[in-house]
Amino acid sequence: MKRVYLILSAVLLSLCTLNVAAAEKDQKAEPKNNIKLYGFIRNYFAFDSRESVSGTGDLFYYLPKDVKMNEDGSQDLNATSSFRFLALTSRLGVDVSGYSIDNVHFGAKIEADFYSGLSNSSNANAGTYFPGNTKISGTATMRLRQAFATVTWKELGYEQKNSVALKVGQAWHPMAADHPHLFSLEVGAPFGPFSRTPLVQMDANLGSNWVASAAAIWQMQYQSAGPIGGSALYMKYGKTPELYAALAYKSKGFLFRAGVDMVSIKPRVLGKSGDVTVKVSDRKTSVLGYVYTQYSHKNFAVKAKSTFGQGGEHMNLMSGYAKIGENSDGSWSYASLRNSSSWVSMSYGKKWQGVLFLGYVKNLGLAEAASGPLAKGDVYFCGNGFSNINQMYRINPQIIYNIGKMNVGLEYQFTNVHYGEYEGGNLNEYGLADKNLHWVGNHRINMMVKYNF
């Protein structure tokens, strides 16, 4: 009997050993997620010499406002300086990587900051006594910046040099993902596209040098203009996602990319035929192209981007479209404004880093002329700009001191806008204000203190 117990004990011990070995093998076979927490605490200190269009507590800068004379014509009310400093663009994010099945790799990102929640509800009469943006007070609350999942198929094709990556969720718009060397919050906008948006994006690495990209994009925070202002309803009822395609070439420190973006929306679903409310077939389609290039060598880097085409107001470009006619069935006809927006930035140094940014925008008017002058209200322009803009430019030098995980930066930014006057409240048949053209500029001095973790 004792021998039997010994044999049974040996068998049970062997089974336990085999189970432990199998569990360890399964544990090794099952990959684990690598979770990386990142973020920064960031403070901006900003002075403006003039009332301007700006958001996010006046830290995201667009352009100076046009001349606004008082009742007796003795003072320009917009020639007023201001100052502020805030930490509400501090950020927190999580990157997830490391999980794979065979040659399929999975990842994810979620990122937020704390800028939202500012309002002017505490003083409804602020606009009576102050000329500028009064939405600069309140408690900053968290808002979603990015949240997406990725699936990447690696080692594909001949010599296993190809790969395909799929991104699904909210991320940078592919036309806005390439940023200049700037620490300011707007990173070059409105001289280049700026948008984070829901999308499904595919990037295919074709060997070592070529990348083909395509995306279907929706609208959420950054929206098309229209009869009710900026809204995602135009795309919702248009039932057509924004479509994007691009091809890139990369080699060592050089990258060149060219792409095209198409947006097709319905500015209205309901209209009037006589006195009867009817469903209408309104639709406006625009196409926008761009080129981007960058080169780096040791401590020197240069980047440049240029967009040309129709619309783009949903990416903060100074453009839009116009209603140019009414039809007998209650529908309206539209034409897109054409816009050329370009920037170049150069950076040199590592511990002490010098940056120079130059940007230029030109409003080229409607692609199709209207039958006569256009009412100001019939031109649907970017909500962060004005339809009487003819052209604008920006000169922006910066110096940054990098101390390990701490960055301290100082910039001078001069933005100059060529405004025209509305003639009797109207624009010409090409949607341009071309009378009494005059320049209006703003001097901004901005300092940043940032700790990265």
Side-chain angles (χ1 to χ4, degrees):
M1 181 67 69
K2 186 175 180 180
R3 183 177 295 178
V4 172
Y5 284 134
L6 289 172
I7 293 172
L8 288 173
S9 298
V11 170
L12 288 172
L13 181 62
S14 299
L15 289 173
C16 290
T17 303
L18 289 172
N19 286 336
V20 169
E24 290 179 349
K25 183 178 179 181
D26 290 341
Q27 189 174 11
K28 290 179 181 178
E30 179 69 20
K32 294 182 178 179
N33 286 322
N34 296 320
I35 298 177
K36 178 184 177 183
L37 181 71
Y38 69 91
F40 51 75
I41 308 300
R42 181 169 60 184
N43 283 266
Y44 284 114
F45 303 74
F47 166 84
D48 288 311
S49 65
R50 183 178 184 83
E51 282 302 320
S52 300
V53 180
S54 52
T56 316
D58 284 348
L59 300 178
F60 193 114
Y61 189 83
Y62 289 100
L63 46 82
K65 291 183 179 180
D66 198 1
V67 173
K68 181 182 179 182
M69 301 305 296
N70 62 359
E71 291 82 353
D72 64 4
S74 62
Q75 293 181 336
D76 177 5
L77 300 180
N78 282 334
T80 305
S81 59
S82 60
F83 176 75
R84 83 287 297 154
F85 62 90
L86 297 165
L88 51 76
T89 63
S90 297
R91 188 174 304 166
L92 187 64
V94 177
D95 279 328
V96 183
S97 63
Y99 183 79
S100 63
I101 300 175
D102 297 327
N103 69 331
V104 184
H105 299 253
F106 302 87
K109 176 191 283 288
I110 185 165
E111 183 180 82
D113 63 10
F114 300 88
Y115 98 100
S116 63
L118 302 184
S119 69
N120 64 339
S121 58
S122 60
N123 193 334
N125 296 319
T128 303
Y129 303 104
F130 298 94
N133 177 23
T134 59
K135 298 181 180 181
I136 59 169
S137 63
T139 300
T141 56
M142 181 177 286
R143 61 103 184 227
L144 181 71
R145 280 176 55 87
Q146 298 189 82
F148 59 81
T150 60
V151 183
T152 304
W153 293 264
K154 295 185 177 181
E155 300 174 352
L156 302 175
Y158 179 68
E159 295 184 348
Q160 297 182 328
K161 290 185 177 181
N162 302 334
S163 65
V164 175
L166 184 67
K167 179 189 296 181
V168 181
Q170 173 154 317
W172 281 103
H173 191 295
M175 283 188 72
D178 304 304
H179 298 154
H181 308 92
L182 292 174
F183 67 73
S184 44
L185 190 60
E186 69 276 3
V187 287
F191 299 89
F194 187 100
S195 171
R196 290 180 300 274
T197 192
L199 55 74
V200 177
Q201 181 175 338
M202 181 276 296
D203 297 300
N205 287 279
L206 309 176
S208 303
N209 302 108
W210 293 93
V211 181
S213 302
I217 303 164
W218 209 248
Q219 291 184 5
M220 192 179 73
Q221 180 182 358
Y222 301 96
Q223 306 158 345
S224 294
I228 62 170
S231 176
L233 290 174
Y234 311 128
M235 180 165 282
K236 172 185 174 179
Y237 287 99
K239 301 183 291 292
T240 304
E242 181 179 348
L243 300 177
Y244 166 89
L247 185 65
Y249 175 81
K250 55 183 180 178
S251 177
K252 296 181 180 179
F254 174 77
L255 170 67
F256 177 83
R257 182 185 298 111
V260 64
D261 185 83
M262 186 191 77
V263 178
S264 186
I265 59 174
K266 293 195 67 142
R268 299 185 311 153
V269 173
L270 302 177
K272 285 284 189 178
S273 179
D275 295 327
V276 180
T277 300
V278 295
K279 291 189 287 186
V280 293
S281 58
D282 292 27
R283 183 170 288 274
K284 194 278 299 182
T285 302
S286 59
V287 178
L288 184 67
Y290 83 104
V291 293
Y292 170 79
T293 188
Q294 68 179 44
Y295 174 75
S296 60
H297 178 70
K298 295 183 178 178
N299 290 334
F300 173 76
V302 60
K303 300 179 181 180
K305 179 182 283 186
S306 183
T307 63
F308 176 81
Q310 303 171 352
E313 77 280 359
H314 65 295
M315 293 185 282
N316 282 296
L317 296 178
M318 293 293 106
S319 191
Y321 62 101
K323 165 195 168 185
I324 61 171
E326 298 184 4
N327 305 313
S328 59
D329 61 355
S331 64
W332 293 353
S333 299
Y334 305 91
S336 293
L337 287 166
R338 297 166 302 158
N339 171 277
S340 174
S341 301
S342 303
W343 59 258
V344 59
S345 75
M346 293 166 281
S347 171
Y348 182 79
K350 189 173 182 181
K351 186 173 183 178
W352 283 96
Q353 184 181 4
V355 172
L356 178 63
F357 172 89
L358 303 171
Y360 179 74
V361 167
K362 177 65 176 176
N363 184 356
L364 300 169
L366 295 174
E368 177 185 352
S371 57
L374 287 166
K376 179 181 176 182
D378 288 337
V379 177
Y380 310 123
F381 205 77
C382 174
N384 295 307
F386 305 98
S387 56
N388 61 327
I389 292 174
N390 183 279
Q391 58 185 322
M392 59 185 290
Y393 68 84
R394 178 175 294 169
I395 301 171
N396 189 356
Q398 296 185 348
I399 187 167
I400 305 166
Y401 183 45
N402 300 303
I403 319 165
K405 294 186 176 183
M406 180 77 79
N407 314 118
V408 179
L410 181 67
E411 75 169 349
Y412 165 71
Q413 182 188 102
F414 179 64
T415 305
N416 210 14
V417 180
H418 206 203
Y419 283 107
E421 281 190 2
Y422 298 102
E423 188 174 17
N426 295 328
L427 299 133
N428 68 18
E429 66 273 18
Y430 285 98
L432 294 171
D434 56 359
K435 306 297 182 184
N436 190 23
L437 294 170
H438 54 283
W439 289 98
V440 177
N442 177 66
H443 303 271
R444 165 169 277 215
I445 299 173
N446 189 26
M447 187 178 78
M448 177 199 69
V449 178
K450 177 183 176 187
Y451 180 79
N452 304 277
F453 60 85

